Amino acid sequence: MSDPMQMGVAEIVSGSGSSFRAGMRVLPAPRRRAILAVYAFCRVVDDVVDTPGPEAEKRAGLDAWEAELTRIREGRPRTPVGREIAHAARAYDLPLEEFDLVIDGMRMDLRGMIAPDAATLDAYVRRVAGAVGILSMHVFGAWRGEASRRFALSLAEALQLTNILRDARRMPGWAGSTCPPSFCPRPASRRLPREHRRPRPACPRPRRRPRAARPAPPMPEPRARSARIRGCASRPRC
């Protein structure tokens, strides 16, 4: 088995089975190179935690990537991903402390994120999603200071909480859910038996049948092409 720390960005991205690369095709090549490096870093540290194995090995894996971030700051990265991160950081002024936060979030995952309180959930979302949002805004050329920071963190929170709710509903009994008890509805196993539930009130009038949707007017070719690109990039799950 190859050393994950010596895998290249292209190998990591293509092996992930994600549609992320397709969505990033709309970027100019230099920015696409940078965002794929960010994605590859996040993917490999996430795989450190998710791959079955002893917890001590996982901690050592995260420590190794933390050491690589130190070498990036010193201008001597040793891994292919580290060299690409260093290049992207120079080109787009990436705040390297956001990569530190991603690793902190992976450590929280490793400790176990089972029904955390609201403060712990906020800290987790800031690390695993907010950091990626801020890095992405820099790469995309959209960074405008504090307003961009607020936008990136708000969007990251919305997307991460959506992912948590989606994944929680797929778990039997929602065991191991990242949702705090005050945020998620009760698991199905704890709901009242059907015979003890209060009946729903009868609808006072029949529901109207929805009208057939009218076809959208044709768009000029450049806009139509842009819409097709966005549609193709957003359908598969990243």
Side-chain angles (χ1 to χ4, degrees), residues 140-153:
F140 296 157
W143 188 256
R144 300 294 184 272
E146 180 59 25
S148 299
R149 180 181 179 276
R150 291 196 305 269
F151 174 81
L153 295 182

Side-chain angles (χ1 to χ4, degrees), residues 146-210:
E146 180 59 25
S148 299
R149 180 181 179 276
R150 291 196 305 269
F151 174 81
L153 295 182
S154 296
L155 181 59
E157 180 181 28
L159 293 173
Q160 186 64 29
L161 292 179
T162 299
N163 286 341
I164 289 171
L165 286 171
R166 178 201 63 202
D167 293 342
R169 291 297 297 265
R170 294 174 179 175
M171 297 178 183
W174 300 1
S177 171
T178 316
C179 290
S182 60
F183 185 77
C184 283
R186 293 180 300 174
S189 59
R190 295 177 56 190
R191 293 175 183 165
L192 290 173
R194 185 176 297 277
E195 60 271 18
H196 296 300
R197 296 179 195 171
R198 182 178 299 174
R200 294 180 180 179
C203 187
R205 56 185 177 183
R207 297 178 180 176
R208 296 179 180 177
R209 299 181 64 180

Side-chain angles (χ1 to χ4, degrees), residues 109-124:
D109 257 335
L110 194 55
R111 290 194 296 268
M113 286 290 294
I114 301 176
D117 57 39
T120 302
L121 181 64
D122 286 345
Y124 176 74

